[in-house]
Amino acid sequence: VDKVKKFPGLARRATWTVGKEDPRKVVHSLKVGIALTLVSLLYLLEPLFKGIGKNAMWAVMTVVVVMEFTAGATLCKGLNRGLGTLLAGSLAFLIEYVADAPGRIFRAVFIGVAVFMLGAMTTYVRFIPYIKKNYDYGVLIFLLTFNLITVSSYRVDSVWDIARDRIATIAIGCGLCLVMSLLVFPNWSGEDLHNNTISNLEGLASSIEVCVMEYFNDLATPATQDESSEDPIYEGYKAVLDSKASNETLALQASWEPRYSRFCHKIPWHQYARVGAALRHFCYTVVALHGCLQSEIQTPKSICALYKDSCIRVGEEVSKVLRELAKSIRNNHQFSPETLSNNLKEALQDLDNALKSKPQLVLGSRNGRTPNTPVQVVPHQDQKLEEETRTSFSSVKNDSFSSRACKSKEHSRETPKKVLRPQLSKTAIISLEFSEALPFAAFTSLLVEMVAKLDLVMDEVEELGQMAHFREFKDEEIVV
Amino acid sequence: VDKVKKFPGLARRATWTVGKEDPRKVVHSLKVGIALTLVSLLYLLEPLFKGIGKNAMWAVMTVVVVMEFTAGATLCKGLNRGLGTLLAGSLAFLIEYVADAPGRIFRAVFIGVAVFMLGAMTTYVRFIPYIKKNYDYGVLIFLLTFNLITVSSYRVDSVWDIARDRIATIAIGCGLCLVMSLLVFPNWSGEDLHNNTISNLEGLASSIEVCVMEYFNDLATPATQDESSEDPIYEGYKAVLDSKASNETLALQASWEPRYSRFCHKIPWHQYARVGAALRHFCYTVVALHGCLQSEIQTPKSICALYKDSCIRVGEEVSKVLRELAKSIRNNHQFSPETLSNNLKEALQDLDNALKSKPQLVLGSRNGRTPNTPVQVVPHQDQKLEEETRTSFSSVKNDSFSSRACKSKEHSRETPKKVLRPQLSKTAIISLEFSEALPFAAFTSLLVEMVAKLDLVMDEVEELGQMAHFREFKDEEIVV
């Protein structure tokens, strides 16, 4: 009952959100309404109805089915439908011509066999990946039209006339759809793809920035294992992770759109898809970096603080490069790979130097700051490290838990029956606190790894710039 | 010309592959052929045609459009179509009733307005995520049928009869489709989802195994940055990365299927999707682990070899757990979380001990094996490490490159003009060879991280087992 009461509110909010987020959707809805009304006039207006007659239905049907949100999708569907109809029509006439000669029974059998063969064959063809990707709808329409014409040819004599009228009305419907989606407030798949790529780049940039900042500032926050929707890091890269399907669809639709870049070159939409793929691969490293934030063992703050500035600088440089790439795509100008690389390189060098200048700390022996002091016996030193870690832990975890952790460290073999598993496994990880440097090393290593993968993204964007003939950044430097 | 010559061969191979990989697709093609032939009989056989007449066309159309590969998809489409048609029919009659009273012009205007309003509204409604996900096709059919009936009601008087016949024939078409897909060699979306989940688990298991093995055996192989299709590691996890869209579609379709587990409980298909999500999240760590393999700086083999056994053991345990989960899902029995956790915990403890027993090595001071020896001055020690790394590098890279790396280490600031960027950035990374332990630490840390994420996967699978009422593993232990 409660759910029923809430339903109107929920529905209203959901409806409102859609329009607020993307007003183009409202415009598109109105466009469909107008197109349908226009096509209905074929039926409602006396003079038009006289010319076309009942087949006007097919125009209505075509408009309902073909009209899509973006121009590319409509073109793709419309052309597929047109082509499928034409092909099916020709084949159906061929078959009718063959079946025309002998008696009625033979004709029925012949039609039945043809329907079976074509039905099985086209269904099979639709499974072939290439066809499925590009012409799925066309093949479906081919089968539909072929069946309708062949089967009805058995009862009707004037198939020619029917077919001609039907094709004419379908053409009218397709034409109306194309006009509405290409000329009246058009939505371009290519534009969506372009904007998605830019916002993905920027989302990743802010993800990395926040991630690095949080690592050094909030080490004490408890590990949150589920991604709450408010987590800005997750928000930033979430869209990238799920971008595969939408990117590929948009690239495919955009390739049908008659849009050109400067100098009448075709815009290389598939290259956008490749940039997306490189970005996705880059993103996996960001996810791993985010994982460092959430992991249950952490290097003590005192150690991290020493490298804070260098790490943050690398993170910032990476973000800056991503933003620069986004800007480059947005403004259609090429970027200067040298400048970006140099900055990155300097930041890396900086981190390098920082780690080199205080290596004892990375190596975990905090008492080695005066280099000539003999290092203490190793077990003892280790013990010390452990103790410190335990302190840093018990500040976070509740008491019962940290006492569990201590117990398991003293190798008290207790039988693990009736113990909840999550706790068990946490214990296992915490008892690994042998080297506090490990998580920090992983963090740093992932940062470096990220720079390496960023290179691939830069390559793809650079290639995109060349293929799309972006304005050159500096004429004398970029020519390759 | 060459492409045209090759085309028949390519086409033949593509066609052949589809059938070979999944013979069910051949069967499905034949099923569609049979269904179409059967429905054509409505038209071809004299007695049937007399009863139904021209509207038999609608049955043909329904079969072509509704028949899908799996039972769930067909049910979803068929029910959507049926519901949409019924609703649209009722609404159309309501509108006709209202429009019936006044004159002809008014009626035309009224119909036009109704078409516009309904067209815009339904198109808008289709953008709402919930509707789009569940009822997109139904709303489309609603709009289609509504338009066809309303518009044709303007010219035809016996709309009731037309509508009745049409609904009857559509019902025949839907019924035939359902019979064919539910009773004749049915393909179940749920089964696909089940199998995909199992094969994803197993693919990840072998990925991890190979990945850990390769890390310790083939450190000398040059870094391959593009994923060749033969890479067994990439092969293993590729399917998991891209599983989001297909998993969600399958779960949705499966939820329409009338299948039940033991004791007539509904199978919780959405829980399979959640297992898939946890698995995908787990997979990002595997990708990062794979990245360690491909990264350009590597810890010298001599160091890694010391921890080889422990690391491999952890990797094997993780694989074993994944295989165990796959087995549990395949055989519909619950697994014993305690046993699996204990093994994992032991492996982690083992790695822990290994790292503790030779901590000097992880910490990078190779001469600290006898703990009481005073450690040498740090800069010197660092120098030594660097020298070794350089040696291990020059064995892999070509000479000119390694000389570049040396140069940049001597801080010779050369102007970076005319240097290709990829090389530049590689240099930057290689000049980071300050701490050889870093990549290995990252590798180990990711292994540990992986165990933590595996926990989430185990939780989801355990919940799946409870929701689907899998056979219990040991009665006295699992009851929660």
Side-chain angles (χ1 to χ4, degrees):
Chain A
V1 179
D2 204 40
K3 218 176 170 184
V4 173
K5 260 189 196 162
K6 273 184 192 164
F7 178 74
L10 276 178
R12 201 164 45 229
R13 213 168 314 133
T15 315
W16 180 250
T17 316
V18 169
K20 203 177 160 194
E21 272 176 4
D22 195 349
R24 296 180 303 164
K25 288 180 177 168
V26 180
V27 175
H28 175 70
S29 303
L30 296 178
K31 271 162 66 180
V32 172
I34 293 170
L36 282 174
T37 316
L38 284 179
V39 89
S40 298
L41 291 183
L42 287 180
Y43 218 87
L44 298 176
L45 294 183
E46 199 66 34
L48 288 177
F49 183 73
K50 268 184 191 149
I52 295 168
K54 272 189 174 174
N55 279 308
M57 285 294 93
W58 287 92
V60 175
M61 195 181 281
T62 306
V63 170
V64 172
V65 176
V66 167
M67 193 91 175
E68 291 276 337
F69 183 57
T70 64
T74 310
L75 257 173
C76 177
K77 263 198 153 175
L79 293 183
N80 261 311
R81 183 162 196 129
L83 221 71
T85 309
L86 274 181
L87 270 178
S90 338
L91 190 64
F93 281 119
L94 194 73
I95 289 212
E96 208 204 347
Y97 183 76
V98 172
D100 210 18
R104 207 163 166 75
I105 303 282
F106 174 81
R107 238 181 108 190
V109 172
F110 189 87
I111 289 177
V113 171
V115 165
F116 172 77
M117 301 267 291
L118 260 289
M121 271 162 58
T122 48
T123 309
Y124 187 77
V125 162
R126 283 176 71 195
F127 284 123
I128 298 173
Y130 177 76
I131 303 283
K132 191 172 190 62
K133 197 176 151 198
N134 292 284
Y135 304 107
D136 192 51
Y137 187 67
V139 176
L140 181 73
I141 290 298
F142 169 82
L143 180 59
L144 184 65
T145 314
F146 174 81
N147 278 342
L148 291 187
I149 295 182
T150 311
V151 174
S152 61
S153 77
Y154 185 68
R155 297 276 167 196
V156 186
D157 290 330
S158 57
V159 188
W160 278 106
D161 298 339
I162 293 183
R164 201 196 50 218
D165 289 352
R166 198 162 287 179
I167 287 176
T169 47
I170 288 181
I172 292 176
C174 281
L176 185 67
C177 285
L178 292 187
V179 167
M180 289 301 282
S181 57
L182 286 176
L183 303 181
V184 185
F185 300 110
N187 302 315
W188 303 104
S189 289
E191 215 167 83
D192 281 4
L193 183 58
H194 185 85
N195 293 335
N196 280 356
T197 308
I198 293 171
S199 74
N200 282 351
L201 279 166
E202 285 173 346
L204 272 180
S206 62
S207 256
I208 293 165
E209 233 169 33
V210 177
C211 195
V212 175
M213 289 308 281
E214 245 177 50
Y215 187 78
F216 288 104
N217 292 334
D218 291 327
L219 283 177
T221 45
T224 49
Q225 286 188 329
D226 54 338
E227 280 98 15
S228 68
S229 57
E230 282 108 52
D231 188 342
I233 303 172
Y234 182 63
E235 280 297 302
Y237 66 68
K238 175 179 74 168
V240 183
L241 284 180
D242 301 342
S243 65
K244 185 181 161 70
S246 71
N247 262 3
E248 281 172 5
T249 314
L250 285 176
L252 193 72
Q253 290 172 353
S255 67
W256 288 84
E257 288 175 354
R259 297 179 76 212
Y260 296 91
S261 63
R262 294 197 316 151
F263 311 128
C264 280
H265 291 289
K266 259 223 160 295
I267 301 175
W269 297 117
H270 65 275
Q271 183 63 27
Y272 275 95
R274 294 190 60 189
V275 171
L279 213 55
R280 226 157 27 239
H281 216 78
F282 174 77
C283 186
Y284 300 141
T285 316
V286 180
V287 178
L289 201 69
H290 192 197
C292 287
L293 229 73
Q294 299 175 327
S295 84
E296 278 148 29
I297 9 169
Q298 296 286 2
T299 309
K301 238 176 173 172
S302 53
I303 293 185
C304 293
L306 288 166
Y307 307 108
K308 184 178 167 184
D309 293 335
S310 316
C311 282
I312 287 181
R313 193 175 156 202
V314 172
E316 270 171 358
E317 282 302 327
V318 171
S319 301
K320 223 169 79 184
V321 170
L322 286 172
R323 291 229 168 79
E324 205 59 46
L325 294 180
K327 217 172 90 187
S328 143
I329 294 178
R330 178 182 290 125
N331 301 333
N332 292 335
H333 70 65
Q334 297 189 356
F335 61 94
S336 150
E338 274 81 12
T339 319
L340 294 185
S341 281
N342 282 348
N343 284 344
L344 260 184
K345 196 190 157 193
E346 263 174 41
L348 273 182
Q349 193 69 47
D350 194 36
L351 179 60
D352 180 0
N353 290 339
L355 286 159
K356 260 187 189 153
S357 66
K358 316 146 188 159
Q360 320 91 298
L361 284 166
V362 162
L363 305 183
S365 64
R366 212 154 314 163
N367 40 9
R369 215 170 282 178
T370 50
N372 278 322
T373 319
V375 162
Q376 287 137 6
V377 216
V378 171
H380 180 192
Q381 174 191 350
D382 221 61
Q383 196 65 35
K384 217 180 141 191
L385 282 176
E386 270 178 27
E387 263 163 30
E388 271 207 35
T389 322
R390 203 177 306 152
T391 322
S392 76
F393 256 110
S394 51
S395 65
V396 183
K397 312 280 171 187
N398 53 5
D399 281 353
S400 72
F401 186 76
S402 85
S403 77
R404 268 200 64 75
C406 292
K407 250 190 189 167
S408 89
K409 191 155 325 110
E410 285 147 31
H411 297 280
S412 67
R413 291 258 168 246
E414 43 169 39
T415 45
K417 82 167 189 203
K418 275 285 168 201
V419 177
L420 284 174
R421 191 166 45 70
Q423 257 192 355
L424 246 184
S425 143
K426 259 183 197 162
T427 318
I429 289 161
I430 283 163
S431 72
L432 264 183
E433 59 202 17
F434 49 89
S435 86
E436 312 166 289
L438 217 76
F440 182 68
F443 185 81
T444 321
S445 183
L446 282 172
L447 268 181
V448 176
E449 181 76 30
M450 207 156 70
V451 176
K453 287 210 176 145
L454 185 59
D455 225 40
L456 293 178
V457 178
M458 281 165 85
D459 282 344
E460 294 291 354
V461 175
E462 201 181 352
E463 206 177 323
L464 173 67
Q466 281 164 15
M467 290 170 83
H469 298 265
F470 282 175
R471 277 190 305 284
E472 284 170 12
F473 186 74
K474 277 176 199 164
D475 285 292
E476 67 279 11
E477 270 190 333
I478 309 290
V479 179
V480 178
Chain B
V1 180
D2 204 43
K3 217 174 168 185
V4 173
K5 259 190 197 160
K6 272 185 192 162
F7 177 75
L10 276 178
R12 200 163 46 230
R13 211 168 318 133
T15 315
W16 180 249
T17 316
V18 169
K20 204 177 159 194
E21 272 177 4
D22 195 350
R24 294 180 305 163
K25 289 180 177 168
V26 181
V27 175
H28 175 70
S29 303
L30 295 177
K31 270 163 65 179
V32 173
I34 292 169
L36 281 174
T37 315
L38 284 178
V39 87
S40 298
L41 291 183
L42 286 181
Y43 219 87
L44 298 176
L45 294 183
E46 200 67 32
L48 287 177
F49 184 73
K50 269 186 192 145
I52 294 170
K54 272 187 174 174
N55 279 309
M57 285 294 91
W58 287 93
V60 175
M61 196 181 279
T62 305
V63 170
V64 172
V65 176
V66 167
M67 192 92 176
E68 292 276 337
F69 183 58
T70 63
T74 309
L75 257 173
C76 177
K77 263 198 152 175
L79 293 182
N80 261 310
R81 183 163 195 126
L83 221 71
T85 308
L86 274 181
L87 270 179
S90 340
L91 191 64
F93 280 119
L94 194 73
I95 289 215
E96 209 203 347
Y97 183 76
V98 173
D100 210 17
R104 206 163 166 77
I105 303 283
F106 174 80
R107 236 182 109 188
V109 171
F110 189 86
I111 289 178
V113 171
V115 166
F116 173 78
M117 302 268 291
L118 260 287
M121 273 162 57
T122 48
T123 309
Y124 187 77
V125 162
R126 283 177 71 197
F127 284 123
I128 298 173
Y130 177 75
I131 302 283
K132 192 173 189 64
K133 197 175 150 200
N134 292 285
Y135 303 107
D136 193 52
Y137 187 68
V139 176
L140 182 74
I141 290 298
F142 169 81
L143 180 61
L144 184 66
T145 314
F146 174 79
N147 279 341
L148 291 186
I149 294 182
T150 311
V151 174
S152 61
S153 76
Y154 185 68
R155 299 274 169 195
V156 185
D157 290 329
S158 57
V159 189
W160 278 105
D161 297 340
I162 292 184
R164 200 198 49 219
D165 288 352
R166 199 161 286 176
I167 287 175
T169 46
I170 288 181
I172 292 176
C174 281
L176 185 66
C177 285
L178 292 187
V179 168
M180 289 300 283
S181 56
L182 286 175
L183 303 182
V184 185
F185 299 112
N187 302 315
W188 303 104
S189 289
E191 214 167 84
D192 280 6
L193 184 58
H194 185 84
N195 292 334
N196 280 355
T197 307
I198 293 170
S199 75
N200 282 349
L201 279 166
E202 285 172 346
L204 271 180
S206 62
S207 255
I208 292 164
E209 231 169 34
V210 177
C211 195
V212 175
M213 288 309 280
E214 246 179 47
Y215 187 79
F216 288 104
N217 291 334
D218 290 329
L219 283 176
T221 44
T224 49
Q225 286 190 328
D226 53 339
E227 282 99 17
S228 67
S229 56
E230 282 107 53
D231 188 341
I233 303 171
Y234 182 63
E235 281 298 304
Y237 66 69
K238 175 178 73 168
V240 182
L241 284 181
D242 301 340
S243 64
K244 184 182 160 71
S246 70
N247 261 5
E248 282 173 5
T249 314
L250 285 177
L252 194 71
Q253 290 173 353
S255 67
W256 288 85
E257 287 174 355
R259 299 178 75 212
Y260 295 91
S261 63
R262 295 196 314 152
F263 310 129
C264 279
H265 290 290
K266 260 226 159 292
I267 302 174
W269 297 117
H270 65 275
Q271 184 62 26
Y272 275 95
R274 293 190 62 188
V275 171
L279 213 55
R280 225 155 31 239
H281 216 77
F282 175 77
C283 186
Y284 300 140
T285 316
V286 180
V287 177
L289 202 69
H290 191 197
C292 287
L293 228 74
Q294 298 174 329
S295 87
E296 280 146 30
I297 12 172
Q298 294 287 2
T299 308
K301 237 176 170 169
S302 53
I303 293 186
C304 293
L306 287 166
Y307 307 108
K308 185 177 164 180
D309 293 337
S310 317
C311 281
I312 288 181
R313 190 172 159 207
V314 171
E316 270 170 359
E317 281 303 328
V318 171
S319 301
K320 222 169 81 185
V321 170
L322 285 172
R323 292 231 168 77
E324 205 58 45
L325 294 180
K327 216 173 90 190
S328 142
I329 294 179
R330 178 182 292 123
N331 301 336
N332 293 336
H333 68 66
Q334 297 189 357
F335 60 94
S336 149
E338 274 81 11
T339 317
L340 293 184
S341 281
N342 283 348
N343 284 344
L344 258 184
K345 195 189 158 193
E346 262 174 39
L348 272 183
Q349 194 69 49
D350 193 35
L351 179 60
D352 180 1
N353 290 340
L355 286 160
K356 261 189 189 151
S357 66
K358 315 147 188 161
Q360 319 91 298
L361 283 167
V362 161
L363 306 182
S365 64
R366 211 153 315 164
N367 40 11
R369 212 169 285 178
T370 49
N372 277 321
T373 320
V375 162
Q376 286 137 7
V377 217
V378 172
H380 180 191
Q381 175 192 350
D382 220 62
Q383 195 66 33
K384 216 177 141 192
L385 282 177
E386 269 178 27
E387 263 163 30
E388 271 208 37
T389 323
R390 204 175 303 153
T391 324
S392 76
F393 257 110
S394 51
S395 65
V396 184
K397 312 281 172 185
N398 53 5
D399 282 353
S400 73
F401 187 77
S402 85
S403 78
R404 269 201 63 74
C406 293
K407 251 190 188 168
S408 90
K409 189 153 330 109
E410 285 147 32
H411 296 282
S412 67
R413 289 259 169 244
E414 42 168 42
T415 46
K417 82 168 189 201
K418 275 286 168 203
V419 177
L420 285 174
R421 190 164 46 72
Q423 257 193 354
L424 247 183
S425 141
K426 260 185 199 161
T427 317
I429 289 161
I430 283 161
S431 73
L432 265 182
E433 57 201 21
F434 51 89
S435 87
E436 312 166 289
L438 216 75
F440 181 67
F443 185 82
T444 320
S445 181
L446 282 172
L447 268 182
V448 176
E449 181 76 31
M450 208 157 71
V451 177
K453 287 209 176 146
L454 186 58
D455 224 40
L456 294 178
V457 178
M458 282 166 83
D459 282 344
E460 294 292 353
V461 175
E462 200 181 353
E463 206 178 324
L464 173 67
Q466 281 163 14
M467 290 172 82
H469 298 264
F470 282 175
R471 279 192 303 283
E472 282 169 14
F473 186 75
K474 280 174 198 165
D475 284 293
E476 68 278 14
E477 268 190 333
I478 308 290
V479 180
V480 176

